Amino acid sequence: ELGVDFKGGYSYNVEFAGRIGFFDVDDPSRSMSGDRTEFLGRNGSINNPDAMTRTHLSGRLGAAFDPCGAIQVPFQLEAGEEREIIFRLGAGRDLEQTRSLVKRLRVMGTARAALQKVRAYWLHTLSSVQVEIPDQSLSLLANGWLLYQTLACRVWARSGYFQSGGAYGFRDQLQDSMALLHAQPQLVREHLLRCAQRQYPAGDVQHWWHPPVGRGVRTRCSDDYLWLPLVTCRYVQSTGDMSVLDEVLPFLEGRDLAVGEESYYDLPGPSAETATLYEHCVRALVHGLRFGERGLPLMGSGDWNDGMNLVGIHGQGESVWLGFFLYDVLKSFAKLAQQNGDFTFVQRCEQEAEKLRANLEQHAWDGNWYRRAYFDDGTPLGSSSNTECAIDSISQSWSVLSGAGSAERVHMAMESFDKRLVRRDSGIIQLLDPPFDTAPLNPGYIKGYVPGVRENGGQYTHAAVWAAMAFAALGDSRRAWELLALINPLNHTQTTEQVGVYKAEPYVVAADVYAIPPHTGRGGWSWYTGSAGLTYRLIMESLLGIRRDGNRLSIVPCIPKEWTTYTIHYRFGETVYHIVVLQSTTTETSNTSVTLDGVAQRDPFIALVDDRREHAVEIKINVKM
């Protein structure tokens, strides 16, 4: 017998109707119960269950109980004695496979081998890029925790303490995947192909969906679909894998949104129409070329900030942030289209990007910073004329990251961001200020959050990281590293007093940090946040300067002036490059020199070769004073 009664089961989820779960231990002294009331006891709780006062469970199983799965193994330990008990929890697609799986897992040594396989996987994955830098706390995050949080929580589980959902977000996991380009690029490729199949022929996509069958929502969200061409560009640029563009994939078959309908939840099926990944990306971009009266992109039922779902719900409101984002996607995709020989679309991307840049310069500037959006009726948002949300972080950072803002204005915008949104006394970088509260303007459900909490004027860490990236892109290493220090969770948990305020894990990034008394400085929504992957990219790419273009690796850092050296161990396939970066100042023109295994290189990059050897690289960077 398996130790579990598989008969008479009931299916509570039709999408997993045939699956059989098991909970097993092979200790002969075990007893079990499927009765939660028996396990907890009358008026009992999970903190002090009645079963822990007894050495035997009744063995009662069936459909009539308040269900649970409990197995108890009684034993005694003498001083210095050890006892190993292995519990197994899992599921099979049907009863036959489940029985076979349980029997296989009972073979001596199977559990230990499985655990060793898990450890080997993480050791190999997390060692893809290892850094030795003067900041030990950032080393801990960069060399393990951030990538683990991204892959285990965001990409695989898609679940956390604050959100137990399991769905793929079209935008969310595409954003996360970019952090895996150095360690697990094949997972990025797989996810691009997965996402393309969640696109409708019109170019829009499911905002989120649940595997395995793909039930999800179709919405008027205006940025989701644009992440497909952007991440495709990043993947091809990083890996040099042009073949992914030729993968042929179906679309989804589903009804259009009705007039006035914000979204609908359904189970669409695959359409008979197929297209290459490149063509899927083109459709997404063309679908995004919908503009309002100012020539800025229509905001629909929200852009990256889902909480602003009413700003453009009637089809006329425009998003400034989306303008900067779309500009970046157009410029990036023009390069990819050039590589792919699609010169007609190159020209269209370049023309649309230039028109958009001009419209942003004309209609997005507020005097000292960039506005956030325009409501359907033309009222600006993120303007000095607003009593709430007078300034929003992401318009400022993306004016820099996109390259669409003028040099003079982006510096003014980031100065305004620093002055109005960085609260150094509290260690917080606000998303917007002042929070939404009593003013008549209603941007959407963001206003339902308490002022200073989550997107409504608290720190939304994803946006805070974008701001640090923007300072790095401007060459302002001092403020880029200062913002990273504010974001770093280990800097919020160094003392008992700080732990009592922050109340979140020190080893993972939290999505939010609250900005109002009595919760100022408290972390929230930890683990399940795209901020983890973005923080990893901030450290590795924006600050330590790791840039891979196919088989070329460049190091273009933005590090503190007092740093003279740091080390990167970079694995390419099964070949490790040990890279020592040396920084010094010069009164002449800045320059970079590279030596590989003692031989000076003509170009300032490393030509990567997977020859399964170890290589020593020295990069000398002379920075003009």
Side-chain angles (χ1 to χ4, degrees):
E1 292 300 319
L2 294 177
V4 179
D5 182 3
F6 294 116
K7 299 178 181 178
Y10 292 85
S11 300
Y12 294 99
N13 187 319
V14 294
E15 293 176 8
F16 303 95
R19 291 187 175 269
I20 302 292
F22 66 85
F23 186 23
D24 181 44
V25 65
D26 53 5
D27 193 295
S29 64
R30 62 103 178 102
S31 60
M32 73 188 82
S33 177
D35 183 356
R36 186 171 180 268
T37 302
E38 176 193 356
F39 180 78
L40 295 179
R42 184 177 181 181
N43 300 322
S45 71
I46 200 70
N47 295 322
N48 187 28
D50 183 64
M52 297 304 292
T53 67
R54 293 178 279 114
T55 59
H56 188 268
L57 295 174
S58 68
R60 291 199 298 265
L61 300 166
F65 301 116
D66 181 8
C68 79
I71 296 180
Q72 186 179 67
V73 178
F75 62 93
Q76 292 183 342
L77 285 181
E78 301 296 335
E81 186 180 3
E82 294 182 359
R83 174 82 176 274
E84 181 176 272
I85 302 172
I86 300 173
F87 292 88
R88 307 170 187 88
L89 181 66
R93 61 177 174 265
D94 53 34
L95 181 58
E96 182 180 357
Q97 193 214 23
T98 302
R99 289 185 180 276
S100 175
L101 181 58
V102 173
K103 290 177 180 178
R104 179 167 62 83
L105 293 178
R106 281 184 169 182
V107 174
M108 183 73 69
T110 301
R112 192 171 300 280
L115 181 59
Q116 184 56 39
K117 186 177 180 181
V118 169
R119 288 171 173 163
Y121 175 85
W122 283 114
L123 180 62
H124 186 267
T125 299
L126 301 182
S127 64
S128 298
V129 184
Q130 291 283 292
V131 298
E132 299 173 24
I133 58 178
D135 190 324
Q136 185 180 6
S137 67
L138 288 180
S139 294
L140 288 169
L141 294 177
N143 290 333
W145 279 108
L146 290 174
L147 204 57
Y148 176 80
Q149 182 179 354
T150 301
L151 184 52
C153 183
R154 290 285 295 182
V155 176
W156 286 345
R158 300 181 301 283
S159 185
Y161 299 130
F162 291 83
Q163 180 173 333
S164 186
Y168 283 106
F170 196 92
R171 169 209 308 136
D172 292 349
Q173 275 70 41
L174 277 171
Q175 287 183 102
D176 297 330
S177 71
M178 288 188 283
L180 305 175
L181 280 170
H182 299 288
Q184 293 282 6
Q186 75 281 2
L187 294 182
V188 186
R189 191 184 203 277
E190 291 170 10
H191 192 59
L192 285 170
L193 303 183
R194 179 183 297 117
C195 286
Q197 297 176 72
R198 312 317 300 175
Q199 182 186 45
Y200 296 94
D204 64 322
V205 299
Q206 283 184 309
H207 185 57
W208 55 256
W209 74 93
H210 276 287
V213 297
R215 196 181 303 274
V217 293
R218 189 175 190 176
T219 73
R220 298 186 186 278
C221 188
S222 56
D223 78 304
D224 283 342
Y225 43 87
L226 292 174
W227 289 93
L228 181 66
L230 181 66
V231 178
T232 298
C233 290
R234 296 287 193 270
Y235 170 77
V236 172
Q237 178 187 7
S238 178
T239 65
D241 176 17
M242 292 286 291
S243 68
V244 71
L245 302 178
D246 298 323
E247 294 282 355
V248 177
L249 306 157
F251 293 93
L252 288 179
E253 189 80 42
R255 69 172 178 84
D256 292 336
L257 286 158
V259 175
E261 186 178 27
E262 183 175 341
S263 65
Y264 70 82
Y265 177 70
D266 197 8
L267 176 60
S271 77
E273 183 180 4
T274 63
T276 64
L277 174 62
Y278 179 82
E279 292 164 341
H280 278 268
C281 291
V282 169
R283 290 207 194 187
L285 260 173
V286 171
H287 186 67
L289 299 177
R290 296 171 299 147
F291 304 100
E293 63 177 272
R294 297 167 191 80
L296 303 179
L298 294 175
M299 192 159 178
S301 60
D303 52 19
W304 175 82
N305 192 333
D306 298 342
M308 293 183 173
N309 58 304
L310 299 182
V311 173
I313 192 60
H314 298 301
Q316 296 176 336
E318 299 163 278
S319 169
V320 170
W321 171 81
L322 185 59
F324 288 125
F325 181 66
L326 177 58
Y327 177 89
D328 183 46
V329 179
L330 286 166
K331 297 294 284 187
S332 298
F333 201 79
K335 298 176 184 177
L336 186 67
Q338 180 86 24
Q339 289 178 268
N340 207 42
D342 189 356
F343 303 112
T344 300
F345 201 67
V346 172
Q347 186 177 23
R348 183 174 185 184
C349 287
E350 293 286 2
Q351 290 174 345
E352 293 288 355
E354 182 54 34
K355 285 193 297 184
L356 184 54
R357 187 200 62 77
N359 291 333
L360 285 163
E361 284 295 287
Q362 182 177 356
H363 298 292
W365 187 245
D366 195 63
N368 289 296
W369 58 81
Y370 287 98
R371 294 171 178 169
R372 178 61 177 85
Y374 287 90
F375 283 85
D376 285 310
D377 65 0
T379 302
L381 179 63
S383 165
S384 57
S385 64
N386 299 125
T387 57
E388 297 173 0
C389 189
I391 182 172
D392 188 293
S393 164
I394 65 173
S395 291
Q396 320 320 317
S397 57
W398 272 86
S399 71
V400 178
L401 296 174
S402 66
S406 68
E408 180 183 2
R409 285 182 172 180
V410 297
H411 280 91
M412 291 177 64
M414 292 306 293
E415 288 294 336
S416 296
F417 159 83
D418 193 327
K419 180 180 179 181
R420 298 178 66 102
L421 295 176
V422 181
R423 290 174 48 184
R424 291 170 174 82
D425 57 336
S426 303
I428 294 171
I429 305 167
Q430 291 177 270
L431 174 62
L432 57 84
D433 192 68
F436 295 104
D437 192 9
T438 59
L441 287 178
N442 184 10
Y445 76 75
I446 186 175
K447 198 169 182 177
Y449 292 126
V450 174
V453 171
R454 302 212 75 215
E455 292 102 319
N456 193 14
Q459 173 176 301
Y460 204 69
T461 307
H462 202 127
V465 178
W466 273 340
M469 285 180 162
F471 277 124
L474 292 174
D476 190 341
S477 64
R478 179 185 63 83
R479 282 193 284 195
W481 283 89
E482 183 185 15
L483 294 195
L484 177 56
L486 294 178
I487 294 166
N488 185 346
L490 286 156
N491 290 339
H492 292 265
T493 53
Q494 293 183 347
T495 67
T496 302
E497 290 74 17
Q498 287 180 320
V499 170
V501 171
Y502 189 60
K503 297 184 179 180
E505 302 90 341
Y507 44 84
V508 295
V509 175
D512 314 310
V513 183
Y514 303 153
I516 57 164
H519 303 299
T520 304
R522 178 171 181 172
W525 207 280
S526 66
W527 277 103
Y528 193 70
T529 166
S531 306
L534 202 64
T535 302
Y536 182 79
R537 294 182 60 209
L538 167 64
I539 297 170
M540 295 297 199
E541 299 171 9
S542 298
L543 298 176
L544 299 184
I546 301 172
R547 300 181 185 178
R548 182 182 159 193
D549 294 283
N551 293 343
R552 293 181 175 183
L553 186 70
S554 303
I555 308 296
V556 186
C558 179
I559 57 176
K561 292 181 179 179
E562 61 270 20
W563 282 25
T564 58
T565 184
Y566 65 95
T567 301
I568 301 168
H569 306 282
Y570 190 93
R571 192 175 66 244
F572 176 67
E574 296 304 319
T575 300
V576 178
Y577 289 82
H578 304 284
I579 306 165
V580 177
V581 182
L582 303 170
Q583 176 178 253
S584 60
T585 57
T586 179
T587 57
E588 301 176 358
T589 304
S590 299
N591 61 83
T592 299
S593 62
V594 177
T595 61
L596 173 61
D597 296 328
V599 179
Q601 304 296 293
R602 182 172 58 183
D603 299 307
F605 58 78
I606 305 161
L608 299 171
V609 178
D610 188 12
D611 58 9
R612 295 178 175 266
R613 295 167 51 199
E614 295 195 13
H615 296 279
V617 179
E618 185 176 86
I619 299 178
K620 292 183 178 180
I621 301 173
N622 294 313
V623 182
K624 187 175 181 180
M625 296 179 62

